[in-house]
Amino acid sequence: MVQAQPNITLTLKQLGPLGAVVSAEQAAAFDHSFPIKRAETGLKTLTLWGRFTTQNGKDYLIAEGHNDALLHGSKVQFDAKYFYSQDGVKWVDLQAVDAETSKRASTIRTLLMGDPSKVHEIQEDDPNAPRPAVGEDGEPIPDEEGPKKLAFQIPELAVLRTKIDSINATCGVIPVGALQADALNHVVPNKLFSGAPNPEKLESYMHRTLAPGGPTLAQDLRGVWSLHYDPFKSVATLRSLLYPGYFFFFNAYEATWGSLAGLLGS
């Protein structure tokens, strides 16, 4: 049977030894909350994307859902929707952020607080501030108050969404051949997919945002991925060294796969 979407229970089982764990209560809640949220939103797929640890212990669970992915040239557009929860029961929409806010949010490197109402403040130099006065020797005269700064308020949820988008831009792995484009350029599961011929090699995996048949992970920057293959279990596990909290598994015997991200906080 061809896998239409990652199985949450199977993914947690395979990646659990690597630290990809949720509480038993949250895992049990997924069985009911995910079908309900998928029905409410009208999405075809909804699965657990990952988890971000927080300072107050109320971690952010992230769910990702989408309808048909579309092929545009050499890229696959998923138009994904994201939701967050702190108990696995109630899921709240996580809105996209504009480019300017995302740029500022990416400068916040601290661990998330775990409070959705939290607002982070960053400061930037005022580009319209007057230039410092110049002395007779041509050197600028130091301003006792220092250069004028502008303060910006960045909601924690904007920081959270920025982290998700950043990880998705460089991770998001699928087995080569698992998806294909149909006559309408919809990217759908390949019904003839029977597994990767060399699951122990990076050539068997690719970014899901690239067109089927495109470059594999072997073409990525060297040293970005760590791959381990267990020939006894026929299971390969990938870990991103760029984002060490991203994990992916592929079961060569069952031709199943899944991934979780953000597991190490920031």
Side-chain angles (χ1 to χ4, degrees), residues 113-223:
M113 290 297 298
D115 179 4
S117 63
K118 168 71 177 178
V119 175
H120 299 262
E121 182 176 299
I122 66 169
Q123 293 187 340
E124 296 179 359
D125 292 335
D126 184 356
N128 299 317
R131 295 184 178 181
V134 179
E136 296 180 356
D137 56 357
E139 296 294 327
I141 301 175
D143 188 342
E144 293 182 358
E145 298 181 356
K148 185 178 179 181
K149 297 284 187 178
L150 297 178
F152 295 92
Q153 306 291 323
I154 310 296
E156 174 145 302
L157 294 183
V159 181
L160 178 61
R161 179 58 191 262
T162 298
K163 291 179 181 294
I164 293 172
D165 293 340
S166 180
I167 293 174
N168 280 338
T170 55
C171 299
V173 176
I174 59 171
V176 170
L179 301 179
Q180 65 178 6
D182 63 13
L184 299 177
N185 278 343
H186 291 169
V187 178
V188 297
N190 181 4
K191 295 182 179 180
L192 300 179
F193 179 69
S194 59
N198 299 294
E200 75 282 0
K201 296 182 179 180
L202 288 176
E203 287 83 351
S204 294
Y205 311 98
M206 64 181 296
H207 295 280
R208 68 173 187 173
T209 54
L210 298 180
T216 68
L217 297 188
Q219 277 73 56
D220 279 6
L221 186 65
R222 186 175 181 181

